[in-house]
Structures are given as structure tokens and as C-alpha cells.
């Protein structure tokens, strides 16, 4: 029976649902990097890149993933998160009669980098906000290592950086399947590096790390703003030089311009800018409409122009949210067996999103909720004081403002007593990191978001 299940499609639909429910950073770093490996019995097998990712997913996100997965594919009853080392155990313990599982295990082993099939150049809608990044990526995919090396793509969350990187990967592999392309999130690069020096003497790079990152035709590092640690940066610097000298293509993405990468080694910053640096900005209304039309078509969702226009006007933050809104409307219509042909349906389906966007949210409201939560005075959070509590509360306020409000970083800096925007980026990234590594901080953020939602009504 599960011979007929398209596992990659099931997983990508599941990711769309999960994306609506978890913190963006957690989604990007932990959940999106799981790879579907097959179905064993009634369990959906997911491969985590590391033992610690596996444990973290099992501890905190198993329930969310299972609920989403079961709603996409009711045949599946649960998930089993394993690492590549466990593959043989799963296969031996629970042999399944279906070939599909074998196939997917093999697939996974041959090509370690998994490119989303739906992230192609053809499926990328071009508008004023992304046309230069698109053209640059296309040129790189046509002639890797020759034209723009490195290519550095930067822009806010949900604007298509990862999509473009996958499109480069898909495009090159289609023309030249033997090319070795490594695409990883920067967190994975750091993890790999740390693991590699733990397994060797004298801080020498071990062969596995070297093979993975230096013996490649194309290296793509996503979300380079998460790069940290002197030694990891050094490893990146040497990796860069070696690849660059042998004319291998390198592509980076980041949420800000290379010169704003505050904690980055200057030598790296200058390397990042030595090729072509392109940005992606927020899409205008025409692009948002075109994207919604494309996504509706891909999801076989019959939806009127009136509805498309309404969603495009209501959601103007980023493309991920735009896409999420459309999926939510589809889900609502499927569930209630109604057509998406009038605005009332959308208003009901997107009640939370639209209310959240139009409510009187402000930097003052966010900051006062943070202060109330940590029993601090507003003046303390604005001051230069750097006790642990004040510092962390300030970082949370900055993270929440940049996540919930479309204001430029300089404005946030001005609000917090004239701090410059690189300090703001640092504060935001620091807190994002803490949230990922310590569930206590994600609880704080969740509680404060609830407070904000209640207060603004
Ligand atoms: P980022 O990496 O910049 O945070 P992603 O690449 O993950 O953003 O994009 C978020 C979602 O929006 C993805 O599902 C992606 O396919 C979609 N998307 C972004 N830009 C476009 C575009 N120009 N055309 C079609 N889909 C897009
Ligand atoms: Mg991304």
C-alpha cells in the first residue's frame, strides 16, 4: 500500500504545516534539516544529521511533527527519528515488504545533500525585489565557479534565499548529476567542525570534514549570520581559500549585508564581498499576487482572484507567511468542504493572522510586556546596564520587535537609546541562539508573545 506514497511530497506538505506552528528559527535549523528516508511499518523514518539533533527533536518536537504528518498522511501512525548510523538497525529490526523504503534509503546515502524538488528556478516568481538575486543565481548555476564567486545573497527571513540556493543545486545536478554539491545550514558546518576536532589530535582537520567540505564542486552555506567561534571561522576561512583557488563555486546566504556581520572575522567579511553581493527585499503587491497564483496552481487549489488579492494585501511581511496563509485557507476550505470564492471565507480562515497584523502593536507594547514579565523598569531595559537579567530581557525585546514589526534595525537601535544597528543584529542573533539551545528561553518568548496578544486587544 505505501508503495504509492510519495515520501518527499508527504514530507514537504508536512513541513508546510509545521512551519505555521513553530518558531521560524527552530524550524529552519532543526526541523527543515530532517530528511525523509522511508516508511517502516507504519512509522515515517526521518534522518537527523546528528545525535544531538535527534535527541532534541525527540524531546521537544516529536508531537508537533507527528500531528502534522498524520494530518497529511493518515496511513502513518508516528515518526522515528534516527541518524544515518541507525539506518541498518531500522532496516533489520523492521523489514518492510515495500521496495520504496529500500529505494529511499539508497537515495539518501548516495546523495547526501537533499534538494527540495519544488525549489526550482521555474517555480521562483521574479519581481523587482528579487530579480538581481535570481539572475546572479542563474548565472552561477550555468557556470559554477566561473562568473560570480563567491555569490553572497542577503535579505530578511522568508524572502527566498534558501529557495534560490536549492534551485542552484537542483539546476546543476540536472545538467551534471556527478557534480558534488554540498549545501548546509551554517549550524551544521559548525557542528561538523566541532565533531571533527573532537575526533582528531592536535586540532588537525580529520579526513571526513575535509572530504565533505573541500572535496566538492560547489559549497553552499545557508544563514551564515549564525557563524560563530574563532576556530570554526578559521576552518571556514581555509575551506574558502582552498575552494576559491581551485575555482570551485561558493554561495552564502545571510539575513544582513556582509559588513553588518558583527562577530565575523574581518578576513572572512572581505572574502564574502570579493565576488558578487546581491540582496532580496520584500515583494511588492504584484509579486505577492503572482506568487499566490503560482502556489495555488501548484497545490491544485481553485481560488478566485478576489481571494488572492485579499490575501496579498493582508499579508505583506514575507513570502513564507504568504504561502502559509494560502495553505491555511486551503486547509479551512477542504475541512469545511467550501469553495475559496469570497473574502468572508478568507477572513474566517485567517482570523488570527489578520487580527495580529492589524492590532495596535508597537515597540512600546512589546517592551512593556517584556519588562512586566521580568519585573524590570522600562528605564532599566533602555539603559546601558548589562546585568544578565537586563541584558537578556533587552535581547528578547529586540528579537520580538524585529520578528513582529516591520521596522528597520536602525529604528530599533534608536528606540533602545541610540544603539547602532549592528548591536541590534548581535542582540537578536544572540537570543535566537539561546532559544535554540535552551528551551527555557523559548518558553519566555512564547509567554511574552501571549501577553502581547492579550494586551493589544
Ligand atoms: P529564506 O531562506 O529567505 O528565509 P525561503 O527560501 O525559505 O526563505 O522561502 C520561504 C518560502 O517562500 C519558500 O516556501 C519559498 O518557496 C517561497 N518563496 C520565496 N520566494 C519565492 C519566489 N520568488 N517565488 C516563489 N516562492 C518563493
Ligand atoms: Mg532560509
Amino acid at each position: 500500500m505505501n508503495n504509492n506514497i510519495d515520501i518527499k511530497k508527504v514530507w514537504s506538505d508536512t513541513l508546510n504545516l509545521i512551519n505555521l506552528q513553530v518558531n521560524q528559527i527552530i524550524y529552519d535549523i532543526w526541523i527543515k534539516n530532517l530528511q525523509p528516508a522511508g516508511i517502516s511499518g507504519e512509522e515515517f523514518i526521518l534522518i537527523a544529521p546528528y545525535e544531538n539533533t535527534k535527541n532534541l527533536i525527540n524531546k521537544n518536537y516529536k508531537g508537533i511533527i507527528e500531528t502534522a504528518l498524520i494530518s497529511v498522511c493518515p496511513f502513518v501512525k508516528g515518526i522515528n527519528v534516527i541518524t544515518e548510523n541507525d539506518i541498518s538497525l531500522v532496516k533489520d529490526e523492521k523489514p518492510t515488504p515495500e521496495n520504496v523504503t529500500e529505494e529511499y534509503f539508497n537515495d539518501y546515502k548516495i546523495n547526501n545533500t537533499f534538494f527540495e524538488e519544488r525549489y526550482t528556478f521555474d517555480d521562483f516568481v521574479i519581481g523587482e525585489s528579487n530579480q538581481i538575486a535570481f539572475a546572479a543565481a542563474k548565472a552561477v548555476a550555468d557556470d559554477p565557479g566561473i562568473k560570480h564567486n563567491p555569490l553572497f545573497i542577503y535579505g530578511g527571513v522568508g524572502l527566498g534565499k534558501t529557495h534560490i540556493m536549492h534551485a542552484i543545486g537542483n539546476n546543476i545536478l540536472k545538467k551534471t548529476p556527478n557534480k558534488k554539491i554540498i549545501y548546509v545550514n551554517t549550524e551544521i558546518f559548525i557542528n561538523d567542525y566541532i565533531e571533527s576536532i573532537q575526533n582528531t589530535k592536535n586540532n588537525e582537520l580529520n579526513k571526513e570534514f575535509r572530504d565533505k567540505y573541500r572535496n566538492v564542486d560547489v559549497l553552499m552555506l545557508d544563514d551564515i549570520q549564525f557563524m560563530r567561534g574563532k576556530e570554526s571561522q578559521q576552518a571556514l576561512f581555509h575551506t574558502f581559500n582552498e575552494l576559491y583557488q581551485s575555482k570551485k563555486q561558493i554561495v552564502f546566504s545571510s539575513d544582513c549585508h556582509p559588513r553588518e556581520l558583527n562577530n565575523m572575522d574581518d578576513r572572512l567579511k572581505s572574502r564574502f564581498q570579493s565576488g558578487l553581493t546581491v540582496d532580496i527585499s520584500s515583494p511588492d503587491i504584484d509579486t505577492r499576487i503572482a506568487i499566490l497564483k503560482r502556489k495555488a496552481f501548484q497545490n491544485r487549489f481553485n481560488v478566485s482572484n478576489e481571494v488572492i488579492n485579499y490575501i496579498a494585501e493582508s499579508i505583506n511581511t514575507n513570502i513564507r507567511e504568504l504561502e502559509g496563509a494560502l495553505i491555511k485557507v486551503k486547509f479551512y476550505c477542504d475541512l469545511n468542504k467550501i469553495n475559496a470564492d469570497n473574502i468572508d471565507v478568507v477572513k474566517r480562515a485567517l482570523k488570527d493572522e489578520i487580527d495580529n497584523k492589524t492590532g495596535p502593536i508597537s515597540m512600546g507594547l512589546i517592551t512593556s510586556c517584556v519588562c512586566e514579565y521580568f519585573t524590570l523598569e522600562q528605564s532599566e531595559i533602555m539603559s546601558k546596564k548589562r546585568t544578565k537579567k537586563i541584558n537578556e530581557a533587552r535581547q528578547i525585546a529586540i528579537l520580538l520587535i524585529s520578528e513582529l514589526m516591520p521596522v528597520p534595525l536602525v529604528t530599533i537601535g534608536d528606540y533602545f537609546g541610540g544603539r547602532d544597528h549592528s548591536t541590534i543584529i548581535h542582540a537578536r542573533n544572540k537570543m535566537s541562539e539561546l532559544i535554540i539551545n535552551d528551551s527555557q528561553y523559548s518558553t519566555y518568548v512564547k509567554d511574552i508573545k501571549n501577553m502581547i496578544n492579550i494586551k493589544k486587544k
Side-chain angles (χ1 to χ4, degrees):
M1 176 177 153
N2 58 5
N3 261 330
N4 300 326
I5 295 178
D6 178 345
I7 289 168
K8 287 184 184 168
K9 170 92 176 72
V10 166
W11 181 239
S12 83
D13 288 350
T14 305
L15 281 178
N16 283 336
L17 279 182
I18 298 172
N19 197 2
L20 301 174
Q21 295 171 43
V22 302
N23 176 295
Q24 194 58 51
I25 293 157
I26 289 177
Y27 172 82
D28 277 348
I29 293 175
W30 301 109
I31 298 186
K32 220 166 74 177
N33 286 317
L34 296 172
Q35 314 220 354
I39 293 179
S40 185
E42 292 181 338
E43 269 179 349
F44 197 88
I45 313 293
L46 289 167
I47 309 230
Y50 304 99
E51 203 60 33
N52 60 2
T53 318
K54 173 174 107 178
N55 297 339
L56 182 125
I57 296 281
N58 278 328
K59 190 165 149 236
N60 297 333
Y61 304 107
K62 193 162 191 247
I64 290 180
I65 299 176
E66 283 182 340
T67 311
L69 187 62
I70 292 166
S71 85
V72 170
C73 180
F75 162 78
V76 170
K77 296 286 179 272
I79 59 167
N80 186 3
V81 185
I82 61 175
T83 61
E84 207 178 341
N85 296 340
D86 307 326
I87 289 181
S88 56
L89 291 178
V90 175
K91 279 168 79 176
D92 293 346
E93 264 175 25
K94 295 183 183 160
T96 86
E98 287 81 10
N99 301 333
V100 65
T101 308
E102 285 285 335
E103 246 171 55
Y104 272 92
F105 279 128
N106 290 339
D107 232 26
Y108 176 75
K109 286 196 101 116
I110 295 164
N111 186 3
N112 236 324
T113 287
F114 165 85
F115 291 109
E116 281 276 353
E117 272 168 44
R118 65 198 173 100
Y119 286 175
T120 60
F121 287 129
D122 285 343
D123 284 334
F124 193 81
V125 175
I126 306 163
E128 220 169 286
S129 54
N130 57 30
Q131 56 187 346
I132 295 176
F134 178 87
K138 200 92 199 321
V140 159
D142 285 344
D143 267 326
I146 311 280
K147 274 195 185 135
H148 308 301
N149 205 13
L151 174 64
F152 193 101
I153 307 169
Y154 72 97
V157 307
L159 294 180
K161 302 180 296 294
T162 298
H163 185 134
I164 283 196
M165 291 174 113
H166 279 250
I168 294 175
N170 278 321
N171 199 277
I172 297 178
L173 284 182
K174 202 164 137 200
K175 282 183 296 186
T176 41
N178 293 333
K179 284 250 189 263
K180 189 165 176 218
I181 309 179
I182 281 287
Y183 157 90
V184 288
N185 190 287
T186 300
E187 287 287 344
I188 306 260
F189 179 90
I190 297 172
N191 253 323
D192 278 344
Y193 173 70
I194 293 171
E195 218 164 74
S196 94
I197 51 168
Q198 278 165 354
N199 296 335
T200 45
K201 289 182 200 128
N202 309 329
N203 281 3
E204 259 178 35
L205 282 185
N206 74 6
K207 189 171 171 320
E208 218 177 303
F209 182 86
R210 188 172 273 281
D211 276 352
K212 178 166 176 184
Y213 290 104
R214 299 200 187 169
N215 194 3
V216 298
D217 297 299
V218 180
L219 172 65
M220 295 196 267
L221 285 187
D222 206 351
D223 290 323
I224 199 77
Q225 74 273 11
F226 291 126
M227 193 70 210
R228 59 175 186 272
K230 214 167 161 202
E231 289 177 4
S232 310
Q233 294 197 25
Q234 213 158 28
L236 175 58
F237 182 71
H238 294 306
T239 303
F240 181 101
N241 290 344
E242 205 164 312
L243 292 176
Y244 184 80
Q245 273 153 20
S246 37
K247 299 208 163 24
K248 306 296 187 191
Q249 180 69 46
I250 310 154
V251 182
F252 297 105
S253 89
S254 160
D255 69 349
C256 59
H257 191 278
R259 74 173 108 73
E260 289 166 358
L261 289 164
N262 223 16
N263 290 328
M264 196 75 70
D265 183 334
D266 284 340
R267 294 182 309 171
L268 271 178
K269 278 198 222 180
S270 86
R271 291 293 187 282
F272 291 161
Q273 296 175 77
S274 62
L276 179 66
T277 304
V278 290
D279 79 318
I280 305 186
S281 52
S282 299
D284 57 23
I285 180 85
D286 291 338
T287 314
R288 297 205 296 278
I289 290 175
I291 289 172
L292 284 170
K293 286 189 173 163
R294 176 76 59 93
K295 303 276 172 186
F297 176 76
Q298 280 168 350
N299 286 292
R300 297 194 204 95
F301 183 29
N302 206 348
V303 57
S304 70
N305 282 343
E306 187 193 12
V307 164
I308 294 268
N309 292 347
Y310 183 77
I311 302 177
E313 270 163 23
S314 315
I315 311 275
N316 57 9
T317 41
N318 68 51
I319 299 169
R320 184 174 296 135
E321 289 194 9
L322 200 62
E323 203 177 354
L326 185 76
I327 291 169
K328 215 164 169 186
V329 174
K330 178 174 190 296
F331 198 59
Y332 183 86
C333 292
D334 288 351
L335 209 65
N336 295 295
K337 302 199 170 41
I338 49 177
N339 291 329
D341 53 8
N342 69 76
I343 291 175
D344 286 338
V345 171
V346 187
K347 280 190 179 155
R348 272 183 304 203
L350 298 181
K351 193 174 168 309
D352 290 348
E353 283 79 358
I354 292 172
D355 279 357
N356 279 345
K357 295 281 169 313
T358 53
I361 197 161
S362 63
M363 292 198 274
L365 174 72
I366 295 173
T367 314
S368 77
C369 289
V370 172
C371 288
E372 191 178 327
Y373 190 80
F374 290 107
T375 55
L376 287 170
E377 291 298 325
Q378 190 102 1
S379 58
E380 290 179 291
I381 211 172
M382 299 295 175
S383 71
K384 304 266 178 236
K385 282 192 200 153
R386 297 187 54 86
T387 66
K388 184 166 184 280
K389 184 174 164 188
I390 296 178
N391 212 21
E392 286 179 358
R394 191 182 297 125
Q395 287 169 351
I396 289 179
I398 289 171
L399 177 75
L400 283 172
I401 292 173
S402 59
E403 209 178 86
L404 301 175
M405 293 183 63
V407 289
L409 296 169
V410 262
T411 313
I412 307 179
D414 286 345
Y415 182 74
F416 283 93
R419 291 173 156 85
D420 72 15
H421 73 301
S422 53
T423 314
I424 299 299
I425 293 176
H426 174 71
R428 184 195 57 189
N429 291 355
K430 188 85 214 174
M431 186 44 62
S432 307
E433 237 178 271
L434 284 172
I435 290 173
I436 290 160
N437 294 321
D438 186 342
S439 63
Q440 186 190 353
Y441 291 94
S442 52
T443 309
Y444 293 160
V445 168
K446 221 192 282 157
D447 289 348
I448 297 169
K449 275 189 180 165
N450 283 337
M451 270 170 83
I452 296 170
N453 275 332
I454 293 166
K455 291 221 169 187
K456 71 171 205 218
K457 288 204 171 128

